[in-house]
Amino acid sequence: MPKFTYWADSYLEKRRSAREAIDLIQPGQRVFIGSSCGEPQALVRELANASERCAGLEVVRLMALESTPLTLIANKTEGQNLSIRSFYAGSGKPKSIARNKRFITPLHLSAIPRLFRSRRLHVHVALIQVSPPDDFGWMSLGVSVDITLAAAQSADLVIAQVNPKMPRVLGRSVVHVNDVEIIVEREEPLITARATPESESANKIAGHIQRFIEDGSTLQISLGTSPQAVLLALSEANDLGIHTQYITDDIMHLVSRGVITNREKGFNPGKLIASSAIGSEELYDFLDDNPGIEFHPSDYVNDPGIISRHNKMVSINVAMEVDLTGQAAADALPINLYTGVSGMLDFIRGASQAEGGKAILLLTATSKDGKRSHIVPSLGDTAVVIPRSDVQYLVTEFGAVNLFGKSLQERAQAMGLLGTERRLKEAMLGVYPASMEETVVVDGDSVMIRPAKPVDERRIQEHFYSLGKKDVIARFFHEKTRFVRDEAEGLSQIDYRKNLTLVALVGEFGFGRVIGVGEYLLDETTNIAEVAFSVSSDFQGKGIGTRLMIKLAGAARGNGIAGLLAYTAETNDGMIRLFNTLPYVVRTDTENDILELTCRFDEIDDRKDMPDGQT
């Protein structure tokens, strides 16, 4: 029978200096290094010093903030002494990444633990950083559980830097003293990460994304400028939950404000679940022995099957570039150092499968200097990280689109670019006026009123087909049973100044049913715009037409148009009442049983109230 050794005695026997520990590494071995802010800095410094004598080492890591520049050593020796295998799925466009592109091993983060445990990628040595052991000999991996736990469980030799600064996190996040071969005691501050700089584009993106995040949603949020702005924009939300790869300072602040409660997650309720943390010392203190937070390895946190079990699961990730078919690249950028870490697609697929789930990609539409578009005809030689079949919601500073279920032409139109049947001059007549978007509640239904987009062509066509005979005659002045695509296309042309069309929609964003259409068409010889309306029968009499009329009048005034004109039948009391809701002097004229209604914006009727937003 083997002799039993008490773990505390074993701990003392295993203690070594950092140099003694690293001297145990043999040439040609594969060495795993704990991820990001969990990097065992003392051990990595010694490894860098030993690289000259240890030829053929391969370093394996997920993501490094490089407190010691191992990539510099690898480049100098051209991989003879040290090479690096980095699990990063970006396309390596920025110069600093492109230089090290040869180190990249694209792989879903959820699959990496299995790669280690199966020994398909044999880890000889694991360099990890842990907290001091508790009364039972368990040491916490703290801010870096992700793939570090699997590496520690699979390696032939585990060298642990025991650091009192490492927070003790709960969950499946511990290793036992008996499962570690070497202990190196070294107290030093953990790596911290600066906050990403504020960006006007990011703040605009955050404003658009608020509508998609309902109270009670569970969120995964990637690292970077735009997600930071999104978190700040959610400060008034309620009962949000978190199931994510990285905990950050911004998440901590929302927990402190009571925005994140994790009560409505539906899976792991009451618990904030993550696999890593990147942030400040304050964040690390917040994590320490916090019963509301659990860290689990990546094959759990990033498992699409686990992700899909959450209520209203929303994944929010950053893309660098998207092409007209919808496929996306996700590189690290100077303002967003961490994009492209290979958990993105896991969360996109998991969120898409969840009940009420949404997969959202954030993208700045243009480069910082405004000279280059990030929505391009083709990604060319840029590696695709998110296939076109997985891209769902895309949000830029100019608005949002839902590409799910859209044809290639509809995708191009939804992104505000050219389709195969659209002429260039038709696409260049105006910038989408996102400020005109408005959501109202009508008899319990959420109704979005907004300017029409090219992608609305088919939905406008379907709306006309749904109208009753009486409504068709009121709108077109004659019986009509065919509404060809060219007519709907004319209404959805991108000219938000001279020929403006507003639509009212109900239902899921990107799949909503058009229940109202209001439009004006400018006669440039008179500077008067003709208006026309149609509202689905089940929404008539509920104020939809009035809202469309008020918004059209406000837009026309803002665009320098002098007034409005409408033609209608003398018996169309609804249209007459609608036109008279405007706070202007209305003149009428009749010819051949057609009633002409006109008003000028400089002729205020003092007997009427001015609608909100008009002066």
Side-chain angles (χ1 to χ4, degrees), residues 303-315:
D303 182 345
I306 295 294
I307 295 165
S308 67
R309 297 175 68 176
H310 293 85
N311 290 335
K312 301 176 185 176
M313 184 73 210
V314 180
S315 70

Side-chain angles (χ1 to χ4, degrees), residues 6 135 157 200 340 469 564:
Y6 179 47
D135 292 343
L157 173 67
E200 182 181 354
K469 179 179 178 180
L564 298 179

Side-chain angles (χ1 to χ4, degrees), residues 315-601:
S315 70
I316 303 173
N317 292 281
V318 178
M320 183 200 74
E321 208 165 64
V322 176
D323 72 13
L324 290 185
T325 70
Q327 57 189 2
D331 289 318
L333 298 172
I335 62 168
N336 179 11
L337 304 179
Y338 314 110
T339 312
V341 175
S342 49
M344 186 182 295
L345 197 53
D346 291 326
F347 277 102
I348 286 174
R349 289 179 172 169
S352 298
Q353 295 166 15
E355 186 71 26
K358 301 180 182 76
I360 301 174
L361 281 181
L362 310 182
L363 174 77
T364 55
T366 60
S367 58
K368 191 174 182 180
D369 59 10
K371 295 181 179 180
R372 190 173 69 84
S373 174
H374 290 153
I375 301 176
V376 298
S378 172
L379 289 182
D381 61 353
T382 302
V384 174
V385 176
I386 311 300
R388 59 178 68 96
S389 56
D390 287 292
V391 174
Q392 192 178 59
Y393 292 87
L394 180 66
V395 183
T396 77
E397 63 268 41
F398 297 110
V401 296
N402 186 350
L403 300 183
F404 181 69
K406 301 293 188 295
S407 69
L408 296 185
Q409 175 174 305
E410 289 170 332
R411 287 170 178 238
Q413 292 172 335
M415 287 187 274
L417 298 174
L418 298 178
T420 56
E421 300 170 12
R422 191 166 296 276
R423 297 184 298 276
L424 180 62
K425 67 181 184 68
E426 293 177 334
M428 301 300 290
L429 297 176
V431 176
Y432 179 75
S435 60
M436 292 188 66
E437 293 183 348
E438 179 187 15
T439 301
V440 296
V441 177
V442 178
D443 288 352
D445 289 306
S446 181
V447 180
M448 164 65 81
I449 299 175
R450 61 163 174 78
K453 304 175 183 178
V455 75
D456 294 323
E457 289 175 7
R458 176 59 185 168
R459 284 184 284 188
I460 292 174
Q461 188 181 21
E462 291 172 345
H463 166 71
F464 290 151
Y465 274 111
S466 74
L467 295 176
K469 179 179 178 180
K470 181 180 177 181
D471 293 328
V472 170
I473 293 174
R475 170 62 178 78
F476 295 100
F477 295 103
H478 62 90
E479 289 190 42
K480 189 176 175 69
T481 58
R482 295 181 69 247
F483 303 93
V484 296
R485 183 170 181 174
D486 288 348
E487 293 174 326
E489 182 177 329
L491 292 177
S492 59
Q493 287 184 14
I494 303 178
D495 182 344
Y496 300 116
R497 186 174 64 85
K498 298 178 182 178
N499 308 327
L500 176 65
T501 301
L502 299 179
V503 292
L505 305 104
V506 294
E508 181 185 351
F509 177 81
F511 292 90
R513 173 171 69 99
V514 172
I515 52 92
V517 176
E519 56 179 304
Y520 74 60
L521 177 64
L522 177 65
D523 181 345
E524 295 187 71
T525 62
T526 63
N527 198 29
I528 298 293
E530 180 184 345
V531 294
F533 298 88
S534 61
V535 177
S536 297
S537 59
D538 53 334
F539 277 86
Q540 291 178 5
K542 298 182 180 181
I544 298 298
T546 301
R547 289 182 179 276
L548 290 170
M549 172 64 92
I550 291 171
K551 292 181 79 69
L552 282 175
R557 286 191 66 194
N559 287 326
I561 295 172
L564 298 179
L565 162 71
Y567 294 104
T568 188
E570 291 181 291
T571 57
N572 191 345
D573 294 334
M575 183 61 183
I576 296 170
R577 285 195 303 270
L578 181 61
F579 205 89
N580 277 285
T581 60
L582 295 174
Y584 310 109
V585 176
V586 176
R587 293 181 172 81
T588 62
D589 190 20
T590 303
E591 183 175 346
N592 298 326
D593 296 327
I594 298 297
L595 183 66
E596 179 184 296
L597 305 169
T598 60
C599 68
R600 295 186 63 90
F601 298 140

